[in-house]
Amino acid sequence: MQNKQGSVFDSQVLGHPSALFVLFFTEMWERFSFYGMRVLLVLFLTAGLLSDNPGWEWPRENALALIGTYGSLLYLTPLVGGYIADKFTGYRMAVVIGCVVMTLGHAAMAVETKGFFYLGLALLVIGTGFFKPNITSMISTMYKGKNEKKDGAYTIFYMGVNAGAFFGMMLCGYLGENFGWSWGFGLAGIFMMLGCLQFWLAKPIFGNIGAPPSELRMLQAEDVADEIPDIAGGPVVVNEATDKRNPFKLLDYVLIVVSAVGGLLYLFNDPLEKIEKINLLPFTVGNLSGTSFVVLLALVSFLILLISRIARYSAITRDRIIAVCFCGLFTVFFFMAFEQSLGSMTIFADSYTNRELEGSAAMIFKIIDALLTTVPLIIVSWVLLKLFGQTFKRISVSNIILGITFIGIWALVLFRLFNKFSEPGNTIDASWFAILNSFFIISLAPLFSKWWESKYNPSAGMKYGFGLILLGIGFGILAYGAWEIPQGAMTAKVSMIFLILAYLFHTMGELCLSPLGLSYVSKLVPPRMIGFMFGVWYLAIAVGQKSAGAMGGMIDKISNEYSIGTFFLIFTVVPMGMGLIAILLSPVMKKLMHGIR
């Protein structure tokens, strides 16, 4: 089979292949559905049974325990989905499978019964496992041998991620909070389905990119080791370090199974025990509960596995892997705090923030809100028209489906704005604040990109330090704003400026860390250990996600014993402390990297 990659570049939009923008819009609708559903999750679960928009009135601890497990699993299943695509389905079919499964998941959640709700979450986790690693792998394949254009391609793709998150949280959040949760969950599913159709019908534009492995055997003889796809959405360079083979031993496999089974048992047992009163680990070992024993066993097994494998490499490689482990540790603490955005911070927006505006303040906000909504949509619609001009004859049905999605988005945006302007005052939806992260990323990313490209580009340790400290400052602002809320209060009316500033600093912290992650894994780790260390990296993010749910679930307990200001103060002190440690360790990490930047 002849490689058709070159022909993909024959049709271009803004200097990049039209196929990139098909992936841009596919990712946009997937992120629309993902974030649109997730921003509603904690609000729906904790809403009162007798409120105007009744939810399930779960305790906040239970809701966040489930959300933590859900978020954690989202970073584990892509390891399996990427493997299946590599071995059997190919990237393109894996993306379609992921879309279909996620569409069914959203549909199940719209039913709003407990059985369908759990089924929906399970399908979303499985679907994300197929979708997440493979759509970015298609970009990596598309730009193979064209590294000079890859940074720009991922930047464009990243804008699709944030555009989808922005409109998903805004529109699903609006419908869910104002018309019923099923409307928000259902809207997420509709756009996921349309995004799937648009992608599937556009397959002629991709040539053999993402085709099943059986169709690519002729291409596998070429150099396939010049890059590793970054399943987080960024360019990756393979480390050229050479080491003797380090095959997995029987003990390694045993440790992998013990740590994986133990971790999964904890992930499922935590929400089951809190919500359903079902304990999968009903035993004790000495003074340890079954849960504590299993977590400790899994952690010790994993550390033995990691240390034993690191010890088998040469000194330079060993040092570089240790540097990656430091980065992984800081990543756990970052996500533990950052992922409060769709947990405790959404609860704070809903229950503790003054979201009522009157008079001129209401009108100013409506105008700002209208500009925030329509200007990005106009820009993305312009890109859509550019794509139509290049591809309509070749993938006309796909373009028609894509056009229908945008007609729907414009109709919903105008409907929302009309209703907002018709109100004499203005009540800001609690889910609205979550869109600030995407807005600030789009606004600030060019500035940070210029910083990283300048001679003042900090080292990895410094970037982690800055990111964690900025994150802590954001929570410090929240703690200051919430300090006067009485002990044990379940509602309050704190100015929204504190929440807005918190999101601003959190986004700046995220942008400090966004150049890192898997790019450092691929640069610092020997090729034969890349897969294992990718797993370790996603495990670090998964631990951060679950820790976020566990820590966020303590909001009521800490508020009752101390205050909600104290709750957010914890998220101020811990990230800032870890940030200072990262800065102090920066010279050590730089030395461990042995010249890799």
Side-chain angles (χ1 to χ4, degrees):
M1 180 186 292
Q2 184 179 359
N3 188 350
K4 301 178 183 177
Q5 182 204 23
S7 63
V8 173
F9 281 78
D10 294 341
S11 173
Q12 297 191 8
V13 176
L14 302 179
H16 287 272
S18 301
L20 173 66
F21 291 90
V22 173
L23 297 178
F24 170 98
F25 286 114
T26 305
E27 176 71 9
M28 177 177 166
W29 299 130
E30 190 273 334
R31 292 292 90 180
F32 178 102
S33 65
F34 173 80
Y35 281 103
M37 181 282 294
R38 194 169 176 188
V39 77
L40 290 176
L41 204 51
V42 71
L43 297 173
F44 163 65
L45 292 175
T46 58
L49 289 169
L50 302 178
S51 62
D52 293 336
N53 189 13
W56 287 0
E57 204 170 345
W58 282 14
R60 293 166 178 174
E61 181 183 13
N62 293 4
L64 292 172
L66 179 65
I67 291 170
T69 291
Y70 170 66
S72 186
L73 290 171
L74 291 173
Y75 282 90
L76 297 178
T77 53
L79 298 172
V80 179
Y83 176 83
I84 292 173
D86 283 336
K87 295 293 183 182
F88 305 107
T89 65
Y91 303 140
R92 202 163 59 217
M93 180 56 69
V95 169
V96 173
I97 292 171
C99 288
V100 171
V101 173
M102 284 188 287
T103 299
L104 296 174
H106 288 297
M109 291 190 70
V111 179
E112 287 191 32
T113 64
K114 187 174 285 187
F116 276 103
F117 178 77
Y118 289 142
L119 174 63
L121 289 180
L123 291 172
L124 290 172
V125 167
I126 295 168
T128 299
F130 279 98
F131 185 94
K132 187 178 179 67
N134 295 308
I135 192 165
T136 45
S137 293
M138 288 185 68
I139 297 177
S140 185
T141 304
M142 189 185 305
Y143 283 82
K144 183 178 178 180
K146 299 180 182 291
N147 289 337
E148 73 282 356
K149 296 183 71 68
K150 188 176 286 187
D151 283 356
Y154 277 113
T155 299
I156 290 170
F157 185 76
Y158 194 49
M159 291 303 102
V161 170
N162 285 284
F166 182 91
F167 289 112
M169 288 187 286
M170 175 177 286
L171 296 175
C172 293
Y174 174 71
L175 290 183
E177 287 192 67
N178 292 277
F179 295 92
W181 308 111
S182 292
W183 287 93
F185 292 141
L187 183 68
I190 289 170
F191 279 93
M192 186 71 261
M193 178 185 68
L194 292 172
C196 178
L197 285 173
Q198 168 250 327
F199 174 79
W200 175 250
L201 293 168
K203 60 182 178 180
I205 205 170
F206 293 109
N208 59 23
I209 291 172
S214 59
E215 297 181 21
L216 300 176
R217 287 174 184 169
M218 294 293 293
L219 301 178
Q220 290 175 351
E222 299 178 4
D223 179 18
V224 295
D226 64 340
E227 60 182 326
I228 298 291
D230 176 359
I231 60 178
V236 173
V237 181
V238 170
N239 169 36
E240 296 177 355
T242 57
D243 270 279
K244 295 180 180 179
R245 290 189 62 84
N246 186 4
F248 281 88
K249 300 178 179 179
L250 177 61
L251 178 61
D252 293 333
Y253 288 114
V254 171
L255 292 171
I256 289 173
V257 170
V258 171
S259 56
V261 171
L264 289 172
L265 276 173
Y266 167 68
L267 281 179
F268 287 105
N269 191 62
D270 181 45
L272 276 174
E273 190 174 9
K274 288 184 172 73
I275 300 164
E276 304 295 342
K277 310 304 178 188
I278 298 173
N279 187 0
L280 300 177
L281 306 166
F283 60 87
T284 59
V285 178
N287 294 325
L288 294 175
S289 67
T291 300
S292 299
F293 174 77
V294 166
V295 169
L296 185 61
L297 178 64
L299 177 61
V300 170
S301 299
F302 174 74
L303 290 176
I304 294 172
L305 171 68
L306 188 62
I307 292 169
S308 65
R309 287 197 63 78
I310 291 174
R312 298 175 209 164
Y313 284 99
S314 64
I316 291 178
T317 299
R318 187 164 59 242
D319 286 349
R320 289 173 173 171
I321 296 174
I322 291 171
V324 170
C325 293
F326 275 125
C327 292
L329 178 64
F330 296 134
T331 297
V332 170
F333 281 93
F334 181 84
F335 278 98
M336 179 191 73
F338 182 78
E339 287 299 327
Q340 300 301 315
S341 59
L342 297 181
S344 63
M345 288 178 68
T346 301
I347 289 172
F348 187 82
D350 184 47
S351 301
Y352 298 97
T353 302
N354 183 9
R355 298 182 284 115
E356 305 290 336
L357 295 175
E358 300 291 341
S360 59
M363 183 53 64
I364 291 170
F365 178 84
K366 289 173 183 178
I367 293 171
I368 293 173
D369 183 42
L371 291 173
L372 281 178
T373 306
T374 55
V375 172
L377 189 52
I378 289 170
I379 294 171
V380 178
S381 299
W382 173 74
V383 174
L384 174 72
L385 293 175
K386 287 280 188 181
L387 180 65
F388 279 7
Q390 288 292 322
T391 64
F392 198 84
K393 290 182 179 179
R394 191 173 178 188
I395 51 170
S396 56
V397 181
S398 173
N399 283 341
I400 290 170
I401 297 294
L402 189 55
I404 290 171
T405 63
F406 269 81
I407 292 172
I409 287 290
W410 271 107
L412 288 168
V413 164
L414 294 176
F415 172 74
R416 176 182 174 274
L417 291 176
F418 175 79
N419 285 348
K420 289 291 184 183
F421 275 92
S422 299
E423 297 173 0
N426 190 61
T427 301
I428 304 172
D429 300 321
S431 57
W432 180 89
F433 293 93
I435 73 170
L436 293 172
N437 176 246
S438 296
F439 171 73
F440 288 139
I441 283 178
I442 294 169
S443 303
L444 298 175
L447 298 177
F448 278 79
S449 178
K450 290 291 184 184
W451 183 10
W452 307 147
E453 293 171 4
S454 73
K455 62 180 180 180
Y456 302 106
N457 183 22
S459 65
M462 295 297 289
K463 285 177 182 174
Y464 269 102
F466 293 156
L468 285 160
I469 289 172
L470 287 167
L471 183 66
I473 291 172
F475 280 110
I477 292 170
L478 267 185
Y480 176 78
W483 205 253
E484 298 299 324
I485 298 176
Q487 177 182 351
M490 298 298 290
T491 59
K493 293 290 185 181
V494 173
S495 171
M496 69 179 71
I497 190 64
F498 297 108
L499 200 53
I500 293 171
L501 289 173
Y503 274 107
L504 172 62
F505 278 91
H506 289 184
T507 302
M508 290 192 291
E510 181 186 8
L511 288 169
C512 285
L513 270 73
S514 61
L516 308 179
L518 291 179
S519 63
Y520 275 107
V521 175
S522 61
K523 290 175 183 178
L524 294 167
V525 174
R528 291 190 184 98
M529 205 177 175
I530 283 284
F532 176 73
M533 290 306 293
F534 273 168
V536 171
W537 192 261
Y538 275 96
L539 178 62
I541 298 176
V543 171
Q545 293 277 343
K546 184 57 186 173
S547 299
M551 291 293 294
M554 298 175 68
I555 184 170
D556 288 338
K557 182 178 180 180
I558 295 174
S559 298
N560 290 330
E561 292 185 11
Y562 302 98
S563 70
I564 194 168
T566 304
F567 172 79
F568 286 119
L569 187 62
I570 294 171
F571 290 102
T572 304
V573 173
V574 174
M576 292 185 75
M578 292 302 297
L580 291 173
I581 292 173
I583 291 173
L584 292 173
L585 287 177
S586 182
V588 177
M589 291 179 64
K590 190 174 181 179
K591 185 178 179 180
L592 289 171
M593 290 180 179
H594 292 279
I596 299 291
R597 288 186 58 83

